Amino acid sequence: MRDGGVPSRVATWRRRTMRAQLVALVARTVRGIEELVAAEVRRSGVGSVDLIGHREVHLSTPDPARAMAALACADDVLLLAGLVDGVGRTKADLQRLGRGLAGVDARRLMRLRQRLGGPAGSAGIDVSASFVGRRTYNRFDIEDTVGHQLARVLGLAYHSRRHGTRPPAGTCSWRVSLEGSRATVGLRIGDRPAHRRAYKQATVAGTLHPPLAAAMVGLAGAAPGDTVLDPCCGAGTLLVEQHHAVPGLRLLGMDCDGTSLRSATANAAGVPVRLVRADAGRLPVADRSVDRILVNPPWGRRVPARGLLAGRPERLWAEARRVLRPGGRLVALLHECEPAPIACQGFSVVTTRAVRVSGASALVVTGT
Ligand SMILES: C[S@@+](CC[C@H](N)C(=O)[O-])C[C@H]1O[C@@H](n2cnc3c(N)ncnc32)[C@H](O)[C@@H]1O
């Protein structure tokens, strides 16, 4: 369809979802786990996947509240405000984006946001944008185009990030992503992104991004009754995410650092996990007694390997091999060039998945 001369999928999408009484959502993800988020949509039965893009999955659901709760691997779950096609790489294309937004019913989305538990009012609008590929405009140009347009429609003030000022508390947050010539516009439902977990009160250097931890938990595939070990548990993210995904497990967390263990204890309040101060190079765990190992070991960058692992990281994998039962599974987040040491310790590497997290490349490796 054409909207003010601009090809736009907004109206088509709105007709389709309204007819079926579906709500269209966009789940934002860590780069590299888009397929895992799509699998989570399908497995949980909360809706159907419409599109898998760069760091995002579009879905339609009859029950958006349930979908938001089910998608643990998503960084954020937004109301899909619209898709605008034909947004190219030059500054002139931003006008096309602005015109395409005319088809977005921003007031209806704000009402829907409130119905789904979002805040009632708004102290203004903020927009954050990202794009793939080279363009002659920057993220602030995209944000200002969208922000000014939505502010006009909603009669609210727009708070630009262009000059480094943070938007005030209580604004409604819109997100724009550009991939190829497609712009996706979404509205956050809650007052904070889904990756900011309520349980995570304490943190440590190198702590894991909870949605990525949830993705690792999904790859581990533990079943009720299993014993799951994190030998370098830090703030306990993997074990808490594991508990929320599959209750009824025997959870063991170990770390050689007392501060890390105190963080894990705080974050795991109410979670039945045994936390022990131990060196991952000599685990106080019986041979072949663990069903799943989840681990994000020290990479020697932000977090140094200490104790028996200092200068001898392979000891971790030797211990992991010793305590894992035959047929058990290891899921590890490794620095990009590191999968070989696992194979050297007798693991068969089943899958490797390249991800980008906090600006760094990493590998999620599954071994058995
Ligand atoms: C990257 S952090 C783990 C972060 C954790 N996954 C989280 O979400 O907070 C690595 C952890 O390994 C621990 N560590 C370093 N050397 C160790 C050793 N020899 N034995 C056990 N833990 C060790 C550090 O104290 C740190 O907490």
Side-chain angles (χ1 to χ4, degrees), residues 200 203-209 213 230-238 254-257 260 278-281 283 295-299 303-310:
K200 202 149 178 184
T203 188
V204 296
T207 198
L208 196 51
H209 189 60
D230 181 348
C232 299
C233 69
T237 320
L238 281 159
M254 303 194 180
D255 202 292
C256 66
D257 175 55
S260 297
D279 193 309
L283 291 165
V295 65
N296 160 215
W299 288 356
V303 186
R306 298 197 186 90
L308 295 171
L309 299 187

PDB file of all heavy atoms in Angstrom, residues 200 203-209 213 230-238 254-257 260 278-281 283 295-299 303-310, ligand 1:
ATOM      1  N   LYS A 200      17.810  -9.195  39.672  1.00  0.00           N
ATOM      2  CA  LYS A 200      19.245  -8.910  39.592  1.00  0.00           C
ATOM      3  C   LYS A 200      19.584  -7.613  40.316  1.00  0.00           C
ATOM      4  O   LYS A 200      19.719  -6.549  39.715  1.00  0.00           O
ATOM      5  CB  LYS A 200      19.694  -8.893  38.132  1.00  0.00           C
ATOM      6  CG  LYS A 200      21.177  -9.132  38.019  1.00  0.00           C
ATOM      7  CD  LYS A 200      21.573  -9.840  36.762  1.00  0.00           C
ATOM      8  CE  LYS A 200      23.084  -9.980  36.717  1.00  0.00           C
ATOM      9  NZ  LYS A 200      23.566 -10.570  35.509  1.00  0.00           N
ATOM     10  N   THR A 203      25.525  -7.146  41.223  1.00  0.00           N
ATOM     11  CA  THR A 203      26.209  -7.496  39.986  1.00  0.00           C
ATOM     12  C   THR A 203      27.715  -7.642  40.227  1.00  0.00           C
ATOM     13  O   THR A 203      28.219  -7.237  41.269  1.00  0.00           O
ATOM     14  CB  THR A 203      25.884  -6.444  38.895  1.00  0.00           C
ATOM     15  OG1 THR A 203      26.408  -6.893  37.659  1.00  0.00           O
ATOM     16  CG2 THR A 203      26.431  -5.070  39.231  1.00  0.00           C
ATOM     17  N   VAL A 204      28.401  -8.267  39.276  1.00  0.00           N
ATOM     18  CA  VAL A 204      29.860  -8.403  39.360  1.00  0.00           C
ATOM     19  C   VAL A 204      30.442  -8.071  37.986  1.00  0.00           C
ATOM     20  O   VAL A 204      29.700  -8.049  36.991  1.00  0.00           O
ATOM     21  CB  VAL A 204      30.278  -9.854  39.727  1.00  0.00           C
ATOM     22  CG1 VAL A 204      29.788 -10.233  41.103  1.00  0.00           C
ATOM     23  CG2 VAL A 204      29.809 -10.867  38.683  1.00  0.00           C
ATOM     24  N   ALA A 205      31.725  -7.826  37.914  1.00  0.00           N
ATOM     25  CA  ALA A 205      32.369  -7.569  36.620  1.00  0.00           C
ATOM     26  C   ALA A 205      32.138  -8.775  35.714  1.00  0.00           C
ATOM     27  O   ALA A 205      32.226  -9.916  36.164  1.00  0.00           O
ATOM     28  CB  ALA A 205      33.862  -7.340  36.820  1.00  0.00           C
ATOM     29  N   GLY A 206      31.816  -8.513  34.462  1.00  0.00           N
ATOM     30  CA  GLY A 206      31.639  -9.589  33.491  1.00  0.00           C
ATOM     31  C   GLY A 206      30.351 -10.371  33.665  1.00  0.00           C
ATOM     32  O   GLY A 206      30.198 -11.463  33.106  1.00  0.00           O
ATOM     33  N   THR A 207      29.420  -9.812  34.436  1.00  0.00           N
ATOM     34  CA  THR A 207      28.171 -10.556  34.668  1.00  0.00           C
ATOM     35  C   THR A 207      27.409 -10.752  33.367  1.00  0.00           C
ATOM     36  O   THR A 207      27.510  -9.953  32.438  1.00  0.00           O
ATOM     37  CB  THR A 207      27.298  -9.837  35.727  1.00  0.00           C
ATOM     38  OG1 THR A 207      26.337 -10.764  36.231  1.00  0.00           O
ATOM     39  CG2 THR A 207      26.583  -8.624  35.139  1.00  0.00           C
ATOM     40  N   LEU A 208      26.678 -11.832  33.299  1.00  0.00           N
ATOM     41  CA  LEU A 208      26.048 -12.238  32.043  1.00  0.00           C
ATOM     42  C   LEU A 208      24.732 -11.492  31.820  1.00  0.00           C
ATOM     43  O   LEU A 208      23.981 -11.243  32.758  1.00  0.00           O
ATOM     44  CB  LEU A 208      25.810 -13.751  32.114  1.00  0.00           C
ATOM     45  CG  LEU A 208      25.511 -14.516  30.841  1.00  0.00           C
ATOM     46  CD1 LEU A 208      26.529 -14.238  29.746  1.00  0.00           C
ATOM     47  CD2 LEU A 208      25.507 -16.010  31.145  1.00  0.00           C
ATOM     48  N   HIS A 209      24.483 -11.170  30.557  1.00  0.00           N
ATOM     49  CA  HIS A 209      23.233 -10.533  30.136  1.00  0.00           C
ATOM     50  C   HIS A 209      22.109 -11.582  30.320  1.00  0.00           C
ATOM     51  O   HIS A 209      22.180 -12.673  29.716  1.00  0.00           O
ATOM     52  CB  HIS A 209      23.426 -10.170  28.669  1.00  0.00           C
ATOM     53  CG  HIS A 209      22.381  -9.326  28.075  1.00  0.00           C
ATOM     54  ND1 HIS A 209      22.075  -8.061  28.548  1.00  0.00           N
ATOM     55  CD2 HIS A 209      21.554  -9.542  27.024  1.00  0.00           C
ATOM     56  CE1 HIS A 209      21.113  -7.552  27.808  1.00  0.00           C
ATOM     57  NE2 HIS A 209      20.782  -8.427  26.877  1.00  0.00           N
ATOM     58  N   ALA A 213      21.779 -15.586  29.055  1.00  0.00           N
ATOM     59  CA  ALA A 213      21.788 -16.705  30.014  1.00  0.00           C
ATOM     60  C   ALA A 213      20.564 -17.593  29.772  1.00  0.00           C
ATOM     61  O   ALA A 213      20.656 -18.826  29.778  1.00  0.00           O
ATOM     62  CB  ALA A 213      21.783 -16.157  31.445  1.00  0.00           C
ATOM     63  N   ASP A 230      26.925 -24.544  37.783  1.00  0.00           N
ATOM     64  CA  ASP A 230      27.708 -23.444  37.211  1.00  0.00           C
ATOM     65  C   ASP A 230      28.959 -23.312  38.068  1.00  0.00           C
ATOM     66  O   ASP A 230      28.906 -22.856  39.207  1.00  0.00           O
ATOM     67  CB  ASP A 230      26.904 -22.132  37.221  1.00  0.00           C
ATOM     68  CG  ASP A 230      27.707 -20.970  36.610  1.00  0.00           C
ATOM     69  OD1 ASP A 230      28.917 -21.130  36.406  1.00  0.00           O
ATOM     70  OD2 ASP A 230      27.105 -19.899  36.359  1.00  0.00           O
ATOM     71  N   PRO A 231      30.131 -23.727  37.537  1.00  0.00           N
ATOM     72  CA  PRO A 231      31.355 -23.742  38.351  1.00  0.00           C
ATOM     73  C   PRO A 231      32.012 -22.377  38.530  1.00  0.00           C
ATOM     74  O   PRO A 231      32.944 -22.266  39.318  1.00  0.00           O
ATOM     75  CB  PRO A 231      32.277 -24.688  37.571  1.00  0.00           C
ATOM     76  CG  PRO A 231      31.795 -24.623  36.161  1.00  0.00           C
ATOM     77  CD  PRO A 231      30.336 -24.309  36.201  1.00  0.00           C
ATOM     78  N   CYS A 232      31.576 -21.354  37.785  1.00  0.00           N
ATOM     79  CA  CYS A 232      32.131 -19.984  37.920  1.00  0.00           C
ATOM     80  C   CYS A 232      30.927 -19.044  37.963  1.00  0.00           C
ATOM     81  O   CYS A 232      30.736 -18.217  37.067  1.00  0.00           O
ATOM     82  CB  CYS A 232      33.006 -19.638  36.723  1.00  0.00           C
ATOM     83  SG  CYS A 232      34.435 -20.694  36.508  1.00  0.00           S
ATOM     84  N   CYS A 233      30.109 -19.156  38.995  1.00  0.00           N
ATOM     85  CA  CYS A 233      28.730 -18.645  38.911  1.00  0.00           C
ATOM     86  C   CYS A 233      28.610 -17.134  39.015  1.00  0.00           C
ATOM     87  O   CYS A 233      27.558 -16.575  38.693  1.00  0.00           O
ATOM     88  CB  CYS A 233      27.853 -19.320  39.958  1.00  0.00           C
ATOM     89  SG  CYS A 233      28.248 -18.829  41.646  1.00  0.00           S
ATOM     90  N   GLY A 234      29.660 -16.417  39.444  1.00  0.00           N
ATOM     91  CA  GLY A 234      29.569 -14.960  39.539  1.00  0.00           C
ATOM     92  C   GLY A 234      28.319 -14.557  40.294  1.00  0.00           C
ATOM     93  O   GLY A 234      28.051 -15.045  41.403  1.00  0.00           O
ATOM     94  N   ALA A 235      27.505 -13.677  39.689  1.00  0.00           N
ATOM     95  CA  ALA A 235      26.290 -13.172  40.347  1.00  0.00           C
ATOM     96  C   ALA A 235      25.108 -14.127  40.226  1.00  0.00           C
ATOM     97  O   ALA A 235      23.985 -13.767  40.599  1.00  0.00           O
ATOM     98  CB  ALA A 235      25.930 -11.804  39.786  1.00  0.00           C
ATOM     99  N   GLY A 236      25.328 -15.309  39.669  1.00  0.00           N
ATOM    100  CA  GLY A 236      24.299 -16.353  39.685  1.00  0.00           C
ATOM    101  C   GLY A 236      23.267 -16.282  38.579  1.00  0.00           C
ATOM    102  O   GLY A 236      22.251 -16.994  38.615  1.00  0.00           O
ATOM    103  N   THR A 237      23.539 -15.482  37.542  1.00  0.00           N
ATOM    104  CA  THR A 237      22.530 -15.257  36.490  1.00  0.00           C
ATOM    105  C   THR A 237      22.058 -16.554  35.836  1.00  0.00           C
ATOM    106  O   THR A 237      20.851 -16.774  35.656  1.00  0.00           O
ATOM    107  CB  THR A 237      23.107 -14.322  35.397  1.00  0.00           C
ATOM    108  OG1 THR A 237      23.871 -13.300  36.022  1.00  0.00           O
ATOM    109  CG2 THR A 237      22.014 -13.719  34.547  1.00  0.00           C
ATOM    110  N   LEU A 238      23.012 -17.422  35.478  1.00  0.00           N
ATOM    111  CA  LEU A 238      22.631 -18.653  34.767  1.00  0.00           C
ATOM    112  C   LEU A 238      21.723 -19.525  35.633  1.00  0.00           C
ATOM    113  O   LEU A 238      20.735 -20.096  35.149  1.00  0.00           O
ATOM    114  CB  LEU A 238      23.891 -19.436  34.374  1.00  0.00           C
ATOM    115  CG  LEU A 238      24.625 -18.908  33.137  1.00  0.00           C
ATOM    116  CD1 LEU A 238      26.076 -19.381  33.114  1.00  0.00           C
ATOM    117  CD2 LEU A 238      23.896 -19.337  31.865  1.00  0.00           C
ATOM    118  N   MET A 254      29.199 -22.442  42.050  1.00  0.00           N
ATOM    119  CA  MET A 254      30.497 -22.342  42.724  1.00  0.00           C
ATOM    120  C   MET A 254      31.273 -21.160  42.160  1.00  0.00           C
ATOM    121  O   MET A 254      31.133 -20.806  40.988  1.00  0.00           O
ATOM    122  CB  MET A 254      31.287 -23.630  42.532  1.00  0.00           C
ATOM    123  CG  MET A 254      30.464 -24.769  43.057  1.00  0.00           C
ATOM    124  SD  MET A 254      31.303 -26.288  43.296  1.00  0.00           S
ATOM    125  CE  MET A 254      29.920 -27.262  43.908  1.00  0.00           C
ATOM    126  N   ASP A 255      32.082 -20.561  43.004  1.00  0.00           N
ATOM    127  CA  ASP A 255      32.959 -19.466  42.586  1.00  0.00           C
ATOM    128  C   ASP A 255      34.037 -19.357  43.653  1.00  0.00           C
ATOM    129  O   ASP A 255      33.796 -19.650  44.827  1.00  0.00           O
ATOM    130  CB  ASP A 255      32.170 -18.150  42.482  1.00  0.00           C
ATOM    131  CG  ASP A 255      32.844 -17.129  41.564  1.00  0.00           C
ATOM    132  OD1 ASP A 255      33.928 -16.620  41.933  1.00  0.00           O
ATOM    133  OD2 ASP A 255      32.296 -16.858  40.475  1.00  0.00           O
ATOM    134  N   CYS A 256      35.237 -18.936  43.217  1.00  0.00           N
ATOM    135  CA  CYS A 256      36.327 -18.834  44.199  1.00  0.00           C
ATOM    136  C   CYS A 256      36.306 -17.491  44.915  1.00  0.00           C
ATOM    137  O   CYS A 256      37.072 -17.273  45.837  1.00  0.00           O
ATOM    138  CB  CYS A 256      37.675 -19.048  43.507  1.00  0.00           C
ATOM    139  SG  CYS A 256      38.057 -17.740  42.354  1.00  0.00           S
ATOM    140  N   ASP A 257      35.424 -16.602  44.482  1.00  0.00           N
ATOM    141  CA  ASP A 257      35.440 -15.233  44.990  1.00  0.00           C
ATOM    142  C   ASP A 257      34.236 -14.967  45.912  1.00  0.00           C
ATOM    143  O   ASP A 257      33.086 -15.185  45.517  1.00  0.00           O
ATOM    144  CB  ASP A 257      35.414 -14.290  43.774  1.00  0.00           C
ATOM    145  CG  ASP A 257      35.313 -12.849  44.178  1.00  0.00           C
ATOM    146  OD1 ASP A 257      36.161 -12.398  44.971  1.00  0.00           O
ATOM    147  OD2 ASP A 257      34.375 -12.171  43.731  1.00  0.00           O
ATOM    148  N   SER A 260      31.576 -12.393  44.696  1.00  0.00           N
ATOM    149  CA  SER A 260      30.689 -12.975  43.674  1.00  0.00           C
ATOM    150  C   SER A 260      29.622 -13.841  44.335  1.00  0.00           C
ATOM    151  O   SER A 260      28.441 -13.771  43.991  1.00  0.00           O
ATOM    152  CB  SER A 260      31.487 -13.830  42.687  1.00  0.00           C
ATOM    153  OG  SER A 260      32.410 -13.037  42.004  1.00  0.00           O
ATOM    154  N   ALA A 278      34.463 -22.379  45.941  1.00  0.00           N
ATOM    155  CA  ALA A 278      35.328 -23.474  45.471  1.00  0.00           C
ATOM    156  C   ALA A 278      36.093 -23.027  44.239  1.00  0.00           C
ATOM    157  O   ALA A 278      35.675 -22.101  43.533  1.00  0.00           O
ATOM    158  CB  ALA A 278      34.478 -24.700  45.130  1.00  0.00           C
ATOM    159  N   ASP A 279      37.197 -23.681  43.998  1.00  0.00           N
ATOM    160  CA  ASP A 279      38.010 -23.406  42.812  1.00  0.00           C
ATOM    161  C   ASP A 279      37.540 -24.342  41.698  1.00  0.00           C
ATOM    162  O   ASP A 279      37.486 -25.574  41.891  1.00  0.00           O
ATOM    163  CB  ASP A 279      39.493 -23.654  43.139  1.00  0.00           C
ATOM    164  CG  ASP A 279      40.403 -23.090  42.062  1.00  0.00           C
ATOM    165  OD1 ASP A 279      40.179 -23.393  40.873  1.00  0.00           O
ATOM    166  OD2 ASP A 279      41.330 -22.338  42.408  1.00  0.00           O
ATOM    167  N   ALA A 280      37.218 -23.754  40.547  1.00  0.00           N
ATOM    168  CA  ALA A 280      36.698 -24.568  39.439  1.00  0.00           C
ATOM    169  C   ALA A 280      37.760 -25.502  38.869  1.00  0.00           C
ATOM    170  O   ALA A 280      37.447 -26.388  38.071  1.00  0.00           O
ATOM    171  CB  ALA A 280      36.147 -23.662  38.347  1.00  0.00           C
ATOM    172  N   GLY A 281      39.005 -25.310  39.292  1.00  0.00           N
ATOM    173  CA  GLY A 281      40.069 -26.226  38.875  1.00  0.00           C
ATOM    174  C   GLY A 281      40.115 -27.477  39.738  1.00  0.00           C
ATOM    175  O   GLY A 281      40.849 -28.430  39.432  1.00  0.00           O
ATOM    176  N   LEU A 283      36.907 -29.077  41.637  1.00  0.00           N
ATOM    177  CA  LEU A 283      35.522 -28.932  42.107  1.00  0.00           C
ATOM    178  C   LEU A 283      35.183 -29.973  43.183  1.00  0.00           C
ATOM    179  O   LEU A 283      35.501 -31.163  42.995  1.00  0.00           O
ATOM    180  CB  LEU A 283      34.540 -29.100  40.925  1.00  0.00           C
ATOM    181  CG  LEU A 283      34.563 -27.975  39.881  1.00  0.00           C
ATOM    182  CD1 LEU A 283      33.849 -28.411  38.595  1.00  0.00           C
ATOM    183  CD2 LEU A 283      33.900 -26.718  40.443  1.00  0.00           C
ATOM    184  N   VAL A 295      28.163 -22.470  31.928  1.00  0.00           N
ATOM    185  CA  VAL A 295      29.307 -21.690  32.413  1.00  0.00           C
ATOM    186  C   VAL A 295      29.699 -20.543  31.481  1.00  0.00           C
ATOM    187  O   VAL A 295      29.669 -20.675  30.260  1.00  0.00           O
ATOM    188  CB  VAL A 295      30.525 -22.605  32.709  1.00  0.00           C
ATOM    189  CG1 VAL A 295      31.063 -23.267  31.454  1.00  0.00           C
ATOM    190  CG2 VAL A 295      31.616 -21.843  33.437  1.00  0.00           C
ATOM    191  N   ASN A 296      30.030 -19.443  32.134  1.00  0.00           N
ATOM    192  CA  ASN A 296      30.554 -18.245  31.476  1.00  0.00           C
ATOM    193  C   ASN A 296      31.866 -17.973  32.214  1.00  0.00           C
ATOM    194  O   ASN A 296      31.912 -17.220  33.158  1.00  0.00           O
ATOM    195  CB  ASN A 296      29.486 -17.150  31.694  1.00  0.00           C
ATOM    196  CG  ASN A 296      29.959 -15.735  31.541  1.00  0.00           C
ATOM    197  OD1 ASN A 296      29.496 -14.850  32.253  1.00  0.00           O
ATOM    198  ND2 ASN A 296      30.839 -15.509  30.624  1.00  0.00           N
ATOM    199  N   PRO A 297      32.949 -18.655  31.800  1.00  0.00           N
ATOM    200  CA  PRO A 297      34.186 -18.611  32.593  1.00  0.00           C
ATOM    201  C   PRO A 297      34.884 -17.260  32.488  1.00  0.00           C
ATOM    202  O   PRO A 297      34.566 -16.464  31.605  1.00  0.00           O
ATOM    203  CB  PRO A 297      35.034 -19.713  31.959  1.00  0.00           C
ATOM    204  CG  PRO A 297      34.519 -19.867  30.589  1.00  0.00           C
ATOM    205  CD  PRO A 297      33.079 -19.474  30.589  1.00  0.00           C
ATOM    206  N   PRO A 298      35.855 -16.998  33.367  1.00  0.00           N
ATOM    207  CA  PRO A 298      36.632 -15.760  33.243  1.00  0.00           C
ATOM    208  C   PRO A 298      37.435 -15.806  31.949  1.00  0.00           C
ATOM    209  O   PRO A 298      38.053 -16.821  31.651  1.00  0.00           O
ATOM    210  CB  PRO A 298      37.540 -15.797  34.469  1.00  0.00           C
ATOM    211  CG  PRO A 298      37.600 -17.228  34.874  1.00  0.00           C
ATOM    212  CD  PRO A 298      36.310 -17.852  34.480  1.00  0.00           C
ATOM    213  N   TRP A 299      37.385 -14.728  31.176  1.00  0.00           N
ATOM    214  CA  TRP A 299      38.088 -14.698  29.900  1.00  0.00           C
ATOM    215  C   TRP A 299      39.473 -14.079  30.018  1.00  0.00           C
ATOM    216  O   TRP A 299      40.192 -13.953  29.040  1.00  0.00           O
ATOM    217  CB  TRP A 299      37.290 -13.860  28.886  1.00  0.00           C
ATOM    218  CG  TRP A 299      36.045 -14.499  28.382  1.00  0.00           C
ATOM    219  CD1 TRP A 299      35.583 -15.754  28.661  1.00  0.00           C
ATOM    220  CD2 TRP A 299      35.097 -13.908  27.489  1.00  0.00           C
ATOM    221  NE1 TRP A 299      34.406 -15.980  28.001  1.00  0.00           N
ATOM    222  CE2 TRP A 299      34.077 -14.871  27.273  1.00  0.00           C
ATOM    223  CE3 TRP A 299      35.013 -12.693  26.846  1.00  0.00           C
ATOM    224  CZ2 TRP A 299      32.983 -14.617  26.442  1.00  0.00           C
ATOM    225  CZ3 TRP A 299      33.924 -12.445  26.026  1.00  0.00           C
ATOM    226  CH2 TRP A 299      32.924 -13.400  25.825  1.00  0.00           C
ATOM    227  N   VAL A 303      37.560 -10.058  33.626  1.00  0.00           N
ATOM    228  CA  VAL A 303      37.607 -10.888  34.838  1.00  0.00           C
ATOM    229  C   VAL A 303      38.796 -11.844  34.724  1.00  0.00           C
ATOM    230  O   VAL A 303      38.842 -12.674  33.803  1.00  0.00           O
ATOM    231  CB  VAL A 303      36.310 -11.724  34.974  1.00  0.00           C
ATOM    232  CG1 VAL A 303      36.291 -12.463  36.304  1.00  0.00           C
ATOM    233  CG2 VAL A 303      35.082 -10.845  34.825  1.00  0.00           C
ATOM    234  N   PRO A 304      39.759 -11.743  35.634  1.00  0.00           N
ATOM    235  CA  PRO A 304      40.915 -12.653  35.550  1.00  0.00           C
ATOM    236  C   PRO A 304      40.562 -14.047  36.064  1.00  0.00           C
ATOM    237  O   PRO A 304      39.730 -14.184  36.970  1.00  0.00           O
ATOM    238  CB  PRO A 304      41.942 -11.987  36.477  1.00  0.00           C
ATOM    239  CG  PRO A 304      41.126 -11.169  37.435  1.00  0.00           C
ATOM    240  CD  PRO A 304      39.848 -10.791  36.744  1.00  0.00           C
ATOM    241  N   ALA A 305      41.184 -15.045  35.473  1.00  0.00           N
ATOM    242  CA  ALA A 305      41.069 -16.402  36.028  1.00  0.00           C
ATOM    243  C   ALA A 305      41.958 -16.443  37.260  1.00  0.00           C
ATOM    244  O   ALA A 305      43.100 -16.003  37.219  1.00  0.00           O
ATOM    245  CB  ALA A 305      41.518 -17.415  34.993  1.00  0.00           C
ATOM    246  N   ARG A 306      41.425 -16.965  38.355  1.00  0.00           N
ATOM    247  CA  ARG A 306      42.199 -16.985  39.598  1.00  0.00           C
ATOM    248  C   ARG A 306      42.486 -18.426  40.016  1.00  0.00           C
ATOM    249  O   ARG A 306      42.021 -19.373  39.391  1.00  0.00           O
ATOM    250  CB  ARG A 306      41.392 -16.305  40.717  1.00  0.00           C
ATOM    251  CG  ARG A 306      41.083 -14.849  40.441  1.00  0.00           C
ATOM    252  CD  ARG A 306      40.676 -14.142  41.718  1.00  0.00           C
ATOM    253  NE  ARG A 306      40.251 -12.773  41.445  1.00  0.00           N
ATOM    254  CZ  ARG A 306      39.000 -12.432  41.162  1.00  0.00           C
ATOM    255  NH1 ARG A 306      38.052 -13.325  41.151  1.00  0.00           N
ATOM    256  NH2 ARG A 306      38.701 -11.172  40.898  1.00  0.00           N
ATOM    257  N   GLY A 307      43.193 -18.559  41.114  1.00  0.00           N
ATOM    258  CA  GLY A 307      43.442 -19.874  41.704  1.00  0.00           C
ATOM    259  C   GLY A 307      44.047 -20.833  40.694  1.00  0.00           C
ATOM    260  O   GLY A 307      44.941 -20.488  39.927  1.00  0.00           O
ATOM    261  N   LEU A 308      43.514 -22.033  40.653  1.00  0.00           N
ATOM    262  CA  LEU A 308      44.069 -23.074  39.792  1.00  0.00           C
ATOM    263  C   LEU A 308      43.859 -22.805  38.299  1.00  0.00           C
ATOM    264  O   LEU A 308      44.488 -23.434  37.450  1.00  0.00           O
ATOM    265  CB  LEU A 308      43.449 -24.438  40.153  1.00  0.00           C
ATOM    266  CG  LEU A 308      43.773 -24.962  41.550  1.00  0.00           C
ATOM    267  CD1 LEU A 308      42.929 -26.192  41.880  1.00  0.00           C
ATOM    268  CD2 LEU A 308      45.259 -25.314  41.637  1.00  0.00           C
ATOM    269  N   LEU A 309      42.927 -21.878  37.987  1.00  0.00           N
ATOM    270  CA  LEU A 309      42.679 -21.591  36.565  1.00  0.00           C
ATOM    271  C   LEU A 309      43.625 -20.524  36.017  1.00  0.00           C
ATOM    272  O   LEU A 309      43.710 -20.347  34.798  1.00  0.00           O
ATOM    273  CB  LEU A 309      41.232 -21.122  36.349  1.00  0.00           C
ATOM    274  CG  LEU A 309      40.106 -22.097  36.730  1.00  0.00           C
ATOM    275  CD1 LEU A 309      38.753 -21.550  36.285  1.00  0.00           C
ATOM    276  CD2 LEU A 309      40.328 -23.479  36.111  1.00  0.00           C
ATOM    277  N   ALA A 310      44.325 -19.809  36.916  1.00  0.00           N
ATOM    278  CA  ALA A 310      45.229 -18.752  36.453  1.00  0.00           C
ATOM    279  C   ALA A 310      46.325 -19.382  35.584  1.00  0.00           C
ATOM    280  O   ALA A 310      47.084 -20.232  36.050  1.00  0.00           O
ATOM    281  CB  ALA A 310      45.837 -18.039  37.658  1.00  0.00           C
TER     282      ALA A 310
HETATM  283  C1  LIG B   1      32.582 -13.952  33.764  1.00  0.00           C
HETATM  284  S1  LIG B   1      32.365 -14.145  35.467  1.00  0.00           S
HETATM  285  C2  LIG B   1      30.885 -15.073  35.590  1.00  0.00           C
HETATM  286  C3  LIG B   1      29.692 -14.203  35.539  1.00  0.00           C
HETATM  287  C4  LIG B   1      28.422 -14.923  35.863  1.00  0.00           C
HETATM  288  N1  LIG B   1      28.023 -15.851  34.809  1.00  0.00           N
HETATM  289  C5  LIG B   1      27.316 -13.889  36.099  1.00  0.00           C
HETATM  290  O1  LIG B   1      26.309 -13.899  35.410  1.00  0.00           O
HETATM  291  O2  LIG B   1      27.501 -13.031  36.976  1.00  0.00           O
HETATM  292  C6  LIG B   1      33.578 -15.342  35.873  1.00  0.00           C
HETATM  293  C7  LIG B   1      33.590 -15.747  37.318  1.00  0.00           C
HETATM  294  O3  LIG B   1      34.613 -16.724  37.465  1.00  0.00           O
HETATM  295  C8  LIG B   1      35.124 -16.597  38.759  1.00  0.00           C
HETATM  296  N2  LIG B   1      36.434 -17.276  38.834  1.00  0.00           N
HETATM  297  C9  LIG B   1      37.666 -16.877  38.446  1.00  0.00           C
HETATM  298  N3  LIG B   1      38.575 -17.840  38.681  1.00  0.00           N
HETATM  299  C10 LIG B   1      37.904 -18.889  39.245  1.00  0.00           C
HETATM  300  C11 LIG B   1      38.287 -20.163  39.736  1.00  0.00           C
HETATM  301  N4  LIG B   1      39.550 -20.595  39.688  1.00  0.00           N
HETATM  302  N5  LIG B   1      37.335 -20.954  40.267  1.00  0.00           N
HETATM  303  C12 LIG B   1      36.030 -20.538  40.349  1.00  0.00           C
HETATM  304  N6  LIG B   1      35.625 -19.335  39.909  1.00  0.00           N
HETATM  305  C13 LIG B   1      36.535 -18.519  39.349  1.00  0.00           C
HETATM  306  C14 LIG B   1      35.182 -15.106  38.997  1.00  0.00           C
HETATM  307  O4  LIG B   1      35.212 -14.831  40.392  1.00  0.00           O
HETATM  308  C15 LIG B   1      33.886 -14.643  38.312  1.00  0.00           C
HETATM  309  O5  LIG B   1      32.852 -14.528  39.226  1.00  0.00           O
END
